[in-house]
Amino acid sequence: MSFGRSSLTRRGALVAAGSAAALGLAAACTKENGTISDGGSSEEPQSAAKVTITPADGSADATAATEIAWTVEDGEFQEFALTDASGNAVDGAMHPDGTTWVPASPLEWEGVYTATVKAADAAGLVAEATSTFTVIASPGDRVSIENYLPGQDSTVGQGAILAFRFSDYEVAEDMRASVERRLFVTSEPAQEGSWHWITGRALEYRPKEYWQPGTQVTVRLGLGGLALGDGKYGEFDQETSFATDSEARLLEADNDTKQMRAYLDGAIVQTIPISLGSDEPIDGNDARSFSGTMTIMSREESSTFVSDLYDYETDVKWAMRLTFSGQFIHGAPWAADRLGRSNGSHGCINVSDEMGEWIYNFVRWGDPVVVTNTGIDVPQGDGFTGWSLDWDTFKAGSYLE
């Protein structure tokens, strides 16, 4: 038995040679010009291959994310096609797991589609099966996503993490495998990678090691019309293609030495005095900088920091975000006496404006930033934090492993 897309079986029909054959008679005799001739009979051979397609013919409960499956018995699969109501071919490809055919984009709500599968038996006789099915009307309860993917055709750092969150919805554990198998990531050259569920809302993808320089990556979040449980469906697909830079950059900030080192292709190119988050609570709040491997989430030449927690508003230059909660690397001329000596910020990594400008021009989105010896770890999901987990732990957060 072979697997793939499927439809209902259409068997080869018996072709009658004459009315007598249609009535099931073996043969008939006729008399022409005084002689007797055998009328004969003819039957077209029928393929032994049997094909079954899902969705079944006539079904009306498909969604926009429907995948086509089929089984072939007593034969080998040959050909598949999906067409819309106008007869136009629908683009798609086999799922990486080889079990289903996946349309390249969501099907149309209330659209009518026909799947056709051909298979041949051991004698080479071909059986063709078709299934015509209808997609349901667009459901009202659709779940959108917060998308943090790299921009189309962008060039990013070696630590780029693919991240998104469902908006105000937690996917139940028993639905997570079906969601995850609709998240497609391909890279050239190919590199081992995995998705990781931080919560039922938040997911990240990373390769086992940092992306190789010059990698081309294509991502499709095939969530449009996908059933998410509780009567909810994904609102839309998201796609992007990007490249990693030909150079590998890395920042390492050590609280023990109060120094940051910048690496280019493994070689130190700059050592920068820093001051990190205060060792003592500020206004009763833990202000320490997080330890862990984070990535550059954004670069801002100038910004205004506003903190309700600490009740301040401050203009800064050369700000590079590390966490959603507001830890940055940024220029801090007011911290000149502390740089390389002591801590005192509200959690950010302070550098001089001169060094802030240098870092701003050095890094890209997705470059890794390793912070050590602060005594407090970055919370998972506060920024792009998958590199703070070892590979086995990260991969264990997949529901397909």
Side-chain angles (χ1 to χ4, degrees), residues 104-124:
S105 59
L107 301 178
E108 295 291 332
W109 298 110
E110 300 183 83
V112 178
Y113 295 88
T114 297
T116 302
V117 176
K118 292 181 181 179
D121 65 12

Side-chain angles (χ1 to χ4, degrees), residues 277-280 285-290 327 345-347 374-376:
S278 173
D279 299 320
E280 301 297 328
N285 300 297
D286 192 336
R288 290 174 294 175
S289 300
F290 293 134
Q327 292 196 6
S345 80
H346 296 88
T374 66
I376 181 173

Side-chain angles (χ1 to χ4, degrees), residues 83-283:
T83 55
D84 63 18
S86 299
N88 300 312
V90 177
D91 291 335
M94 291 301 295
H95 192 282
D97 67 15
T99 62
T100 59
W101 186 91
V102 183
S105 59
L107 301 178
E108 295 291 332
W109 298 110
E110 300 183 83
V112 178
Y113 295 88
T114 297
T116 302
V117 176
K118 292 181 181 179
D121 65 12
L125 298 176
V126 176
E128 179 179 298
T130 63
S131 173
T132 298
F133 61 91
T134 303
V135 178
I136 64 173
S138 176
D141 209 350
R142 308 272 290 281
V143 179
S144 63
I145 62 173
E146 302 163 15
N147 175 4
Y148 304 111
L149 300 179
Q152 179 68 30
D153 297 327
S154 60
T155 301
V156 303
Q158 62 172 329
I161 282 179
L162 313 178
F164 73 96
R165 296 183 179 187
F166 290 101
S167 299
D168 302 319
Y169 182 67
E170 292 270 344
V171 177
E173 285 203 65
D174 62 353
M175 296 296 295
R176 292 179 191 177
S178 64
V179 170
E180 192 176 332
R181 71 181 299 278
R182 293 286 299 194
L183 309 177
F184 307 102
V185 181
T186 58
S187 63
E188 179 59 42
Q191 291 152 70
E192 181 181 0
S194 176
W195 287 97
H196 175 91
W197 292 74
I198 301 169
T199 67
R201 283 190 57 205
L203 294 87
E204 290 184 349
Y205 180 98
R206 53 161 272 207
K208 181 177 181 179
E209 308 290 345
Y210 290 138
W211 296 105
Q212 297 175 27
T215 298
Q216 298 290 324
V217 183
T218 300
V219 185
R220 177 189 175 194
L221 309 181
L223 301 173
L226 183 68
L228 302 177
D230 299 324
K232 298 181 183 294
Y233 296 83
E235 186 171 11
F236 47 70
D237 278 23
Q238 286 283 288
E239 297 183 52
T240 190
S241 296
F242 63 92
T244 59
D245 200 1
S246 59
E247 298 176 318
R249 291 168 301 276
L250 172 69
L251 298 178
E252 288 185 345
D254 187 348
N255 185 49
D256 285 351
T257 64
K258 305 294 188 292
Q259 301 290 319
M260 175 184 287
R261 290 180 173 179
Y263 294 82
L264 182 64
D265 292 332
I268 298 173
V269 294
Q270 190 68 264
T271 301
I272 304 162
I274 59 176
S275 177
L276 298 94
S278 173
D279 299 320
E280 301 297 328
I282 298 177
D283 298 337

Side-chain angles (χ1 to χ4, degrees), residues 294-297 320-323 327-329 349 369 382-383:
M294 293 155 271
T295 66
I296 300 294
M297 300 176 65
M320 287 143 284
R321 181 183 285 272
L322 301 179
T323 70
Q327 292 196 6
F328 287 75
I329 303 168
I349 300 176
V369 179
D382 188 3

